[in-house]
Amino acid sequence: MADSVEVPEAARGSGDPVTARGGSGDPVTSGERAASAVLGAPQGTYARVRDGFRAYRMIAGMWIRSTMAYRASFVMTTFGNFAATALDFVAVLLMFSRVDRIGGYSLPEVAFLYGVSATSFGITDLVVGSMDRLGRRVRDGTLDTLLVRPVPVLAQVAADRFALRRLGRVTQGLLVLAYAIAVLDIDWTPLRLLMVPLMLLCGAAVFAAVFVAGGAFQFVAQDASEVQNSFTYGGTTLLQYPPTVFAKDLVRGVTYVLPLAFVNWLPGLYVLGRPYPLDLPTWVAFTPPLVAAGCCALAGIAWRAGLRSYRSTGS
């Protein structure tokens, strides 16, 4: 039998129930909370992240079960999402029906950039694509219902109306990327092979940071979903074409200000063996993990600031 642990009298508290609940949903007493602190239970950031992932998984699972109750509808909407996003690449094919190169890049090279951008954004859109609905919740006051629940608000907003049909965008991007990799004549070194999955993961993280930062802006603007979409959906469309197509001032902006270039341009041009228009050193192609981490940290700070500034509608 395990040795008992003596909890100090001050840590026992009155034992009266409080309104908060623990991660498992059981009522938490003030005495239990103090005892957990004394006994070294997980607290602070780790506990919030753990509870956030748990809440996200449960909410997303609920929406998935709801979606799969109508499987024929799910198949049709997923195919529709696939077809709608495929029109973007059809536009690229139409351009190449008239020219051999765009900005000095061949069709397989553009397809490679397109596939990385579309897949990275598709993953983010699937996971946190509901962030653009936050403005409506702020306007009508329904965000209050999320604030009283004992789980992180960010996890609830991100998982709200989880749309599994968005897998169509991810599938379409992966198919284009697979085509590009199969056709391109690339000397596949271990670093280049590692760079492909790294681009997808880091690109998804950068887009997720933009989604969260855009959601934080909606606490202030309240009706700024289209502003957010100009950086998210507009950003992925921008990255589907080579940087040589755009003015250097724009390329500098998405490199030094809003670092979308680290999604596929910088690491992708390393894989393709192409120089970057701004003459940056080669090692910059290996910095997407650091850039993604920094973007996520800044987005987290912006989210906390926005959430603290929120004032209910009072209705």
Side-chain angles (χ1 to χ4, degrees), residues 255-312:
T255 303
Y256 301 116
V257 181
L258 184 65
L260 294 177
F262 291 85
V263 172
N264 67 341
W265 279 356
L266 280 165
L269 296 190
Y270 168 79
V271 174
L272 296 175
R274 290 276 194 161
Y276 194 62
L278 301 183
D279 296 326
L280 294 175
T282 305
W283 59 264
V284 177
F286 299 92
T287 59
L290 297 177
V291 173
C295 289
C296 289
L298 292 175
I301 294 172
W303 174 262
R304 290 177 65 87
L307 191 60
R308 286 172 179 171
S309 69
Y310 172 70
R311 297 295 180 266
S312 174

Side-chain angles (χ1 to χ4, degrees), residues 59-147:
I59 297 171
M62 176 191 70
W63 284 106
I64 291 173
R65 289 191 296 272
S66 175
T67 299
M68 298 309 293
Y70 304 93
R71 302 202 175 195
S73 175
F74 164 70
V75 172
M76 288 188 291
T77 55
T78 302
F79 177 77
N81 186 269
F82 173 91
T85 55
L87 292 176
D88 292 339
F89 191 65
V90 171
V92 175
L93 293 176
L94 289 175
M95 292 181 195
F96 275 98
S97 68
R98 298 297 180 183
V99 298
D100 293 329
R101 291 179 176 271
I102 294 179
Y105 285 71
S106 65
L107 174 59
E109 290 174 320
V110 174
F112 181 79
L113 296 176
Y114 175 99
V116 173
S117 174
T119 304
S120 298
F121 181 79
I123 294 171
T124 304
D125 193 37
L126 174 67
V127 177
V128 297
S130 298
M131 292 295 298
D132 58 2
R133 294 191 179 94
L134 180 62
R136 276 173 278 177
R137 284 191 172 275
V138 172
R139 289 197 309 274
D140 59 26
T142 56
L143 183 65
D144 294 359
T145 61
L146 307 185
L147 293 172

Side-chain angles (χ1 to χ4, degrees), residues 155-231:
Q156 297 181 71
V157 174
D160 184 35
R161 298 186 179 276
F162 184 90
L164 198 60
R165 67 178 182 276
R166 291 171 178 159
L167 280 173
R169 181 187 291 272
V170 179
T171 304
Q172 186 262 338
L174 285 174
L175 288 176
V176 174
L177 180 60
Y179 156 75
I181 292 176
V183 173
L184 282 170
D185 184 16
I186 298 176
D187 180 17
W188 288 105
T189 63
L191 281 178
R192 286 193 170 97
L193 286 173
L194 180 63
M195 189 66 75
V196 176
L198 188 68
M199 281 191 292
L200 298 180
L201 293 176
C202 295
V206 171
F207 277 126
V210 177
F211 265 100
V212 173
F217 179 67
Q218 292 189 55
F219 281 112
V220 179
Q222 298 185 8
D223 193 13
S225 59
E226 293 306 319
V227 176
Q228 176 180 336
N229 291 342
S230 67
F231 289 99

Side-chain angles (χ1 to χ4, degrees), residues 25-50:
D26 299 327
V28 179
T29 65
S30 57
E32 289 172 335
R33 183 178 297 162
S36 296
V38 172
L39 297 176
Q43 298 292 324
T45 303
Y46 168 75
R48 288 195 298 272
V49 172
R50 179 200 60 193

